[in-house]
Amino acid sequence: MEKIGALEALKEYAADPSAYLKKRKTKSGKKILGYFCTNTPEEMIHAAGFLPVRILSSRDTISLASRHLQSYSCSLVQSSLESGLRGELAYLDGTVFPHTCDSIQRLSDIWAENLRFPFHWDLVLPVKLHTESARAYLIHELRRFRKGLEEFAGRPVSDGDLRKAISLFNENRSWLKEISRYQAQYPGRILPSGLYALIKTANFMAKEEHNPLLKELAAQLQDGGRPSRSAGPRLFLAGSVCDQPKMYDLVESCGASLVGDDLCTGWRYFAEDVSLEGDPIVALADRLIRKVPCPCKFNPDIDPADRFLQRVKASGTQGVVFLLLKFCDPHAFDYPHLKEKLDQERIPSLLLEIESGGLPLGGMETRLRAFVETLSL
Amino acid sequence: MAQEGKESKEKDKNRLLASQRMKELMTRYYMGAKMAEGTEKKIAWITSGGPVEPLIAADIIPIYPENHGAMLGASRMSVELCEVAESLGYSRDLCSYARGDIGSVLTKKSPIPGGLPKPDFLLACNNICGTVMKWYQSLSRIFHVPLFLLDTPFIHHQVVPESLAYVRRQFEELIGFIESINGKKIDPDRLVEVLSHSAESALLWKEVLGLCAHRPSPMSCFDGFINMAPIVTLRGTKEVTDFYRDMKAELEERIARGISAVPQERFRLLWDNIPIWYKMRELSELFASFGACLVADTYTSAWVFEGFETLDPLEGLSRAYTKIYLNISIDLMIEKVLKLMRKFSVDGLVIHSNRSCKPYSLGQYDIRRIVLEKTGTPSLVLEADMTDARVYSDAQVKTRVEAFMETLENRKAARA
């Protein structure tokens, strides 16, 4: 199956984001803004003439960051700061911190104090998303962000710029959605390592370059041909972020396939489109409101556990792997409830925790293999 | 024997009368709340930084799981109850107040017979952390009761007017929510009255804490930790203003009579973060043995709400509840710490790095470095947890405190 040209290209980019970004920056002359969390309206960053790049880091060693962060911070927070302090994010011109969890909120201050990129923005999104007052505040906060971007860009960001960006990003989301449908339909056609490359590149590549590759990949997946291997037990990944190629390799080496996910680096990134009607800022706000709330957000109008269960069932998975970052409070609080829901439906699940300072691969492999084996029985 | 007798007399003399009255006040409060369980009177569980005033104005009994969490810690019941929550899948890395509370709810184990009275609804304000929302969502599922979230946008630089407007609108929504549950309107005059009690008690609390600026200090922050329960749980009532008025008078009298919290006070320290509830006495005695008094802290002073005093009650509530210590950036926290250090003539900082509380703890290392750079004041970091005693090491804390006190001695000698 590895005849896929587009997938090979994506894998190459995924292996060295920094090389891509440096080259892209020189070629396009565009500044790069890093951001945390899928709730960041990337379209606005793009519309202002910058390349939005999600900061994801999974370093094996943490040393410089431990002078600023306690050992009970999650690996995303520790590892990102470590990368920053080591100068590995030197291609960035700034960073956007949307309000998500307590740790990211504090990281913003520590980041601003110690890294001092030219642009630093705290996008203080509301936590509540179901009331008119929250919506009004959210729209205001996005308008304030637009002004901040305009100031940094030295030019206005028009509604037309925003709409163009929205349609480019909607296209990206639609390809990702289409590929995720094939992923569930023909799990043998795209292996976990390929899925990693796909979502990893979605988080840093310029959409103008990413979209054609996705288009090509989607066509190849649809045509099919013979799957390169049998799908094996079908797994569903749940959690926050997984920037660990080794994790996907591990799933692959256990002979399993991935038929769906509920991850910030996955479905939650591309599930919801932005409307092209009306005021684009309002449309961006409404996308956040419509999204199934992540554990950091509060929207009693949508029950995330029910949605989760529906999606798990629809994926045809045989088992769910919760991939939680150790010390990620919002996800850890939801885990017992989600696990209970799965138990009630007799859907097997496994909890794996990602710690900072590298994956404890040995132990994880044993547990994952055992889990996959029970599913194959 | 004679020595012991003298020491205990010394301690008796040092014990605050207020602490005894506080116990009576709290017992009455919890008994009253237990009695109300199952009656027409409504009970709401509320976060420690939450706006209690509309509840009191609506004659609803507020219950504070965090205060209960501190009680579980002080009575050393936390670990057992945390383990109950852990057995249900709640990670050991989560807030130990939340774990202990969930354990207590499910087992009914508590220093209060039968545990806290059941809520009719929940009110969480995220001005102290995002954890309270997750914790209260769990409670909402366990009790099948509604949850109101008051969302107070975090302040990175200054308060944005639109964020205050958002909070103000939520107060209107909250009042509607309370009225619909309670089946009657809140009397606006009653709300104004409750707010004036809150404003007065916050001011009295500030004055009580302020008396520790006196050298030697008439009480330590450990006394403050114990006697903060009323300002947390009963503010908005007249009892609280009476209580702190008396406590203030008692401290003034101690100052007049030359009674200090720590005999021969030599060092004045500032405590940062939530107390280590199960080690209060030990830590208090350990520091006192070096002549060190913890004269100020960032925790108890968080209940010195400012902004209640406006003509518009909802505006006052919005300001007071948005601008609290844990809802501000590290830069703004440093400003507050420096202000406390100046006011209380602080020689050193004792920083509790609290595994349970990320918004309070992440950033402490930078705060510590910046304070050192700006003022030369050294600090000690204690890695611990507010109620989960499993992560506490007596030997390590003792060694670290001794080393820190030696640093302070050397500094003192060098200055002399």
Side-chain angles (χ1 to χ4, degrees):
Chain A
M1 182 62 191
E2 302 302 325
K3 65 177 182 182
I4 290 176
L7 192 57
E8 279 312 302
L10 292 170
K11 279 185 174 180
E12 261 177 52
Y13 288 126
D16 196 353
S18 156
Y20 169 83
L21 290 169
K22 284 174 195 159
K23 219 166 132 188
R24 174 87 199 166
K25 193 170 180 172
T26 322
K27 210 169 78 186
S28 69
K30 277 188 178 181
K31 287 183 175 153
I32 301 178
L33 296 190
Y35 70 90
F36 288 87
C37 168
T38 46
N39 286 328
T40 309
E42 287 181 278
E43 293 87 344
M44 294 177 69
I45 298 173
H46 176 93
F50 310 122
L51 175 63
V53 171
R54 176 136 188 211
I55 299 174
L56 287 166
S57 175
S58 51
R59 295 186 49 90
D60 285 343
T61 50
I62 302 292
S63 58
L64 300 178
S66 55
R67 274 188 266 163
H68 304 275
L69 288 166
Q70 282 90 337
S71 58
Y72 47 84
S73 325
C74 75
S75 59
L76 174 68
V77 164
Q78 289 199 43
S79 203
S80 304
L81 185 65
E82 181 77 19
S83 296
L85 293 169
R86 284 182 180 274
E88 293 165 0
L89 304 178
Y91 51 77
L92 292 183
D93 297 281
T95 325
V96 180
F97 284 82
H99 182 90
T100 55
C101 64
D102 295 333
S103 299
I104 289 288
Q105 180 178 283
R106 285 289 171 225
L107 178 66
S108 170
D109 296 340
I110 296 170
W111 192 273
E113 166 68 26
N114 295 288
L115 291 173
R116 300 181 186 274
F117 289 110
F119 183 78
H120 185 97
W121 195 268
D122 289 298
L123 188 60
V124 192
L125 302 171
V127 172
K128 258 168 134 163
L129 291 169
H130 65 300
T131 57
E132 259 315 303
S133 59
R135 182 169 180 264
Y137 169 71
L138 170 59
I139 291 168
H140 165 264
E141 194 52 19
L142 294 182
R143 293 210 168 110
R144 200 172 65 89
F145 182 43
R146 179 189 200 158
K147 271 194 205 131
L149 287 168
E150 285 175 335
E151 215 166 278
F152 187 58
R155 67 165 179 86
V157 176
S158 70
D159 282 1
D161 296 333
L162 286 168
R163 278 196 202 97
K164 253 187 259 161
I166 288 170
S167 105
L168 184 69
F169 281 69
N170 276 349
E171 186 193 339
N172 193 249
R173 285 185 278 257
S174 77
W175 291 124
L176 290 168
K177 266 183 276 199
E178 188 168 331
I179 291 170
S180 82
R181 274 196 298 277
Y182 298 139
Q183 171 195 352
Q185 217 173 339
Y186 319 112
R189 290 185 190 172
I190 181 158
L191 300 182
S193 57
L195 287 170
Y196 170 77
L198 189 69
I199 196 68
K200 174 74 184 173
T201 48
N203 279 286
F204 70 85
M205 281 183 73
K207 298 301 182 203
E208 304 90 313
E209 277 184 302
H210 201 233
N211 284 346
L213 289 172
L214 295 188
K215 187 180 174 186
E216 190 186 326
L217 177 60
Q220 287 163 344
L221 287 171
Q222 192 183 17
D223 288 350
R226 273 183 50 229
S228 65
R229 58 162 228 196
S230 78
R234 301 178 303 276
L235 299 182
F236 186 101
L237 282 185
S240 54
V241 297
C242 181
D243 185 41
Q244 306 270 7
K246 284 180 202 156
M247 193 63 229
Y248 287 81
D249 292 344
L250 193 60
V251 173
E252 192 168 315
S253 77
C254 291
S257 61
L258 293 174
V259 289
D261 75 84
D262 188 11
L263 295 170
C264 304
T265 49
W267 181 78
R268 289 208 285 264
Y269 174 70
F270 57 75
E272 213 57 59
D273 281 338
V274 183
S275 163
L276 281 159
E277 308 288 313
D279 181 339
I281 294 288
V282 173
L284 287 162
D286 285 339
R287 170 180 182 256
L288 293 182
I289 291 168
R290 263 198 327 273
K291 275 177 81 171
V292 173
C294 85
C296 295
K297 296 289 167 203
F298 185 75
N299 185 350
D301 295 345
I302 307 173
D303 182 341
D306 275 353
R307 294 288 189 94
F308 169 72
L309 197 61
Q310 280 169 21
R311 293 196 48 248
V312 165
K313 284 185 182 167
S315 73
T317 187
Q318 291 161 280
V320 173
V321 177
F322 287 97
L323 207 55
L324 302 188
L325 299 189
K326 196 168 162 58
F327 305 115
C328 170
D329 297 343
H331 282 84
F333 262 108
D334 281 357
Y335 166 71
H337 181 52
L338 297 178
K339 163 98 169 61
E340 195 189 358
K341 288 257 174 192
L342 294 176
D343 289 350
Q344 284 164 358
E345 300 283 332
R346 298 175 188 277
I347 300 168
S349 66
L350 171 74
L351 170 64
L352 297 175
E353 279 190 314
I354 300 177
E355 298 188 36
S356 59
L359 286 178
L361 279 174
M364 271 197 181
E365 183 170 358
T366 314
R367 296 187 56 214
L368 189 65
R369 261 186 209 291
F371 183 67
V372 170
E373 272 167 31
T374 59
L375 298 181
S376 338
L377 291 175
Chain B
M1 210 30 209
Q3 186 66 26
E4 265 177 35
K6 196 182 156 199
E7 265 182 22
S8 81
K9 225 184 222 167
E10 187 74 19
K11 262 182 210 158
D12 280 346
K13 196 179 75 176
N14 257 333
R15 192 163 295 156
L16 285 170
L17 292 173
S19 302
Q20 188 52 41
R21 284 201 50 212
M22 184 278 301
K23 271 186 199 154
E24 291 160 13
L25 199 63
M26 294 306 288
T27 307
R28 246 197 341 267
Y29 156 63
Y30 276 115
M31 274 177 59
K34 281 300 276 187
M35 303 274 285
E37 202 174 9
T39 69
E40 286 293 291
K41 213 168 161 78
K42 297 279 188 274
I43 294 171
W45 285 19
I46 178 172
T47 53
S48 66
V52 69
E53 289 75 13
L55 297 179
I56 294 192
D59 208 21
I60 289 168
I61 299 183
I63 289 288
Y64 293 80
E66 286 158 80
N67 176 253
H68 184 236
M71 283 164 64
L72 295 176
S75 59
R76 304 188 189 196
M77 294 178 78
S78 279
V79 171
E80 179 195 345
L81 295 173
C82 285
E83 282 169 352
V84 171
E86 288 156 24
S87 73
L88 294 172
Y90 289 97
S91 163
R92 194 175 154 164
D93 304 319
L94 290 171
C95 165
S96 61
Y97 278 170
R99 277 179 290 142
D101 180 48
I102 290 167
S104 172
V105 166
L106 296 173
T107 59
K108 301 202 185 304
K109 285 186 185 170
S110 156
I112 297 162
L116 291 174
K118 270 203 208 123
D120 294 291
F121 67 94
L122 305 162
L123 172 52
C125 180
N126 61 11
N127 58 357
I128 49 172
C129 60
T131 287
V132 289
M133 176 183 89
K134 302 308 297 174
W135 172 7
Y136 278 52
Q137 281 178 326
S138 295
L139 292 174
S140 170
R141 285 194 289 263
I142 294 171
F143 288 115
H144 303 287
V145 293
L147 161 62
F148 188 98
L149 177 74
L150 189 88
D151 182 17
T152 49
F154 191 79
I155 304 168
H156 280 281
H157 304 287
Q158 66 251 355
V159 190
V160 183
E162 284 76 5
S163 106
L164 270 185
Y166 169 41
V167 177
R168 194 185 191 287
R169 282 187 63 187
Q170 290 179 78
F171 271 106
E172 289 164 7
E173 292 156 12
L174 173 63
I175 287 171
F177 172 82
I178 293 172
E179 288 176 340
S180 76
I181 285 184
N182 221 16
K184 57 182 176 216
K185 291 264 171 208
I186 293 176
D187 174 3
D189 294 338
R190 174 76 181 118
L191 184 60
V192 169
E193 185 193 356
V194 171
L195 271 169
S196 74
H197 287 313
S198 276
E200 194 183 352
S201 56
L203 186 65
L204 282 164
W205 180 236
K206 186 181 182 176
E207 287 169 356
V208 162
L209 297 175
L211 290 173
C212 297
H214 188 269
R215 196 185 280 267
S217 176
M219 71 163 194
S220 77
C221 74
F222 295 103
D223 300 305
F225 296 152
I226 293 169
N227 288 295
M228 70 190 285
I231 187 81
V232 177
T233 59
L234 295 169
R235 71 174 177 279
T237 67
K238 193 173 170 303
E239 286 158 287
V240 173
T241 50
D242 293 344
F243 171 75
Y244 288 115
R245 199 171 291 112
D246 290 350
M247 184 173 174
K248 188 183 153 203
E250 186 188 357
L251 292 173
E252 281 165 344
E253 198 199 322
R254 285 170 76 115
I255 290 173
R257 288 169 52 201
I259 301 174
S260 58
V262 170
Q264 281 99 46
E265 174 189 295
R266 302 187 59 238
F267 300 106
R268 299 168 62 81
L269 307 177
L270 178 141
W271 176 275
D272 181 51
N273 212 310
I274 300 172
I276 302 170
W277 292 110
Y278 49 91
K279 287 289 169 188
M280 293 262 283
R281 193 168 49 83
E282 287 88 341
L283 284 170
S284 165
E285 285 172 4
L286 179 60
F287 282 107
S289 73
F290 293 97
C293 183
L294 285 125
V295 294
D297 72 282
T298 56
Y299 183 57
T300 53
S301 55
W303 278 267
V304 179
F305 292 95
E306 279 163 1
F308 280 134
E309 315 78 1
T310 56
L311 289 174
D312 174 5
L314 298 191
E315 177 76 19
L317 283 165
S318 307
R319 282 184 189 282
Y321 285 100
T322 300
K323 294 206 272 187
I324 80 163
Y325 189 69
L326 285 181
N327 206 39
I328 58 174
S329 66
I330 290 172
D331 285 351
L332 297 171
M333 282 174 136
I334 290 170
E335 274 176 31
K336 287 218 170 185
V337 167
L338 292 173
K339 218 168 127 185
L340 286 173
M341 287 172 64
R342 279 193 300 271
K343 179 171 174 186
F344 292 90
S345 324
V346 164
D347 304 306
L349 270 56
V350 181
I351 294 173
H352 170 205
S353 161
N354 180 359
R355 271 177 78 93
S356 268
C357 192
K358 294 183 179 77
Y360 215 147
S361 304
L362 303 191
Q364 281 176 324
Y365 295 176
D366 278 278
I367 292 178
R368 169 187 203 208
R369 175 182 55 80
I370 292 165
V371 165
L372 180 69
E373 283 167 9
K374 288 199 167 167
T375 66
T377 309
S379 53
L380 163 70
V381 174
L382 299 177
E383 299 286 348
D385 184 277
M386 58 198 182
T387 63
D388 189 344
R390 289 172 295 180
V391 301
Y392 189 89
S393 156
D394 276 310
Q396 199 190 58
V397 167
K398 192 160 180 279
T399 314
R400 303 211 57 193
V401 170
E402 281 168 1
F404 182 58
M405 295 315 300
E406 205 177 303
T407 308
L408 292 181
E409 283 288 356
N410 293 340
R411 261 171 63 90
K412 203 175 196 113
R415 280 178 169 187

